[in-house]
Amino acid sequence: MLSIARWLMRGTPQAAGAAALTGVIPWLFWFSAAVAALVTLRRGLGPATPTILAAALPAGWWWTQGDPIPLASVLLVTLMAVVLRARMRWSETLIAGALVGAAMIQLGIFVPPEGAGPLLDQLRASSPDIDSMLSDLADQGVATEALAALLIGGVTALIVLLTSIACLALARGWQAGLYNPGGFRREFHALRLAPKELAVLVALAVIGTLLSLPALSMLVWVPLLVAGVALTHGVVGHRGMNGLWLVAFYVLLVTTWPMILIVLLLALIDTFADFRTRLARSD
């Protein structure tokens, strides 16, 4: 794909055209977002504006068709690319992405215009057990429609945030391949949350709880998860281990929820222990 990235960076017409075309094709919005991120990372927000608009226009059309994910992904990955270009720190970029994702949940932009009521009606009609569970929650004073809207927004925002991170990583990999070979690998392997950044995430979760802003607590763990993934890549790369270890790691991460907890815990400990520096010293 590096040859495609090289062609995209020949000029704005190539990048904007590719972003617009892939944005129209279903399930290729991620490529459109990655193109916008690549141009933003390399040239900055101003010169990248035509490419960003070319990616946003078809994504906006998908929004009118009831799918907000493409446009939200394009906007979020662009913002994260701007932060990464300015700050040169993945940890700060991830925190910024999580904050914007939480704002999207809180604003309810992922909830259908008609609300969550019709979806609950469909669920009630499809299963007596679900109908009984929802009735029990309602009897306990739980606002089931508000809860459903929060869950819809949370799950959708998580998909958007993870997609945006993946698109940004792809764009950063293209940029490194074209202009700084091996740079993205070194950068990602070194990703670790600093103690003050971890404190920010904890503070956001506490504030969300105290102020009844559950959206803040729903995504603050994502930067820590990505740091744990980077830690795994860093250790495997430092030790020169077979790439199948990473394949097995991702299979377990996707299929078993305890693996997610283990990765989060390792990333938390790594914030203070810095395993990769210790490994380098031991060699």
Side-chain angles (χ1 to χ4, degrees), residues 101-238:
M104 291 179 179
I105 299 174
Q106 203 65 42
L107 293 173
I109 65 174
F110 298 123
V111 179
E114 65 274 11
L119 176 61
L120 289 179
D121 293 339
Q122 292 178 11
L123 291 175
R124 287 179 181 276
S126 65
S127 172
D129 292 335
I130 294 178
D131 183 29
S132 175
M133 180 187 69
L134 292 175
S135 298
D136 290 341
L137 289 174
D139 293 339
Q140 296 171 18
V142 177
T144 54
E145 187 167 343
L147 178 61
L150 181 63
L151 290 176
I152 293 171
V155 172
T156 308
L158 178 60
I159 294 172
V160 168
L161 180 57
L162 293 178
T163 300
S164 299
I165 293 171
C167 290
L168 184 61
L170 176 60
R172 195 64 159 177
W174 283 344
Q175 183 188 27
L178 292 175
Y179 309 107
N180 182 25
F184 173 63
R185 184 177 187 270
R186 293 190 297 270
E187 184 179 62
F188 187 67
H189 284 190
L191 169 58
R192 181 177 71 93
L193 292 183
K196 62 180 181 180
E197 293 165 342
L198 179 63
V200 169
L201 294 178
V202 173
L204 289 173
V206 172
I207 291 171
T209 302
L210 294 178
L211 299 183
S212 298
L213 298 173
L216 277 177
S217 305
M218 297 180 76
L219 296 179
V220 293
W221 57 274
V222 175
L224 194 63
L225 177 67
V226 178
V229 172
L231 170 63
T232 304
H233 276 261
V235 172
V236 170
H238 181 80

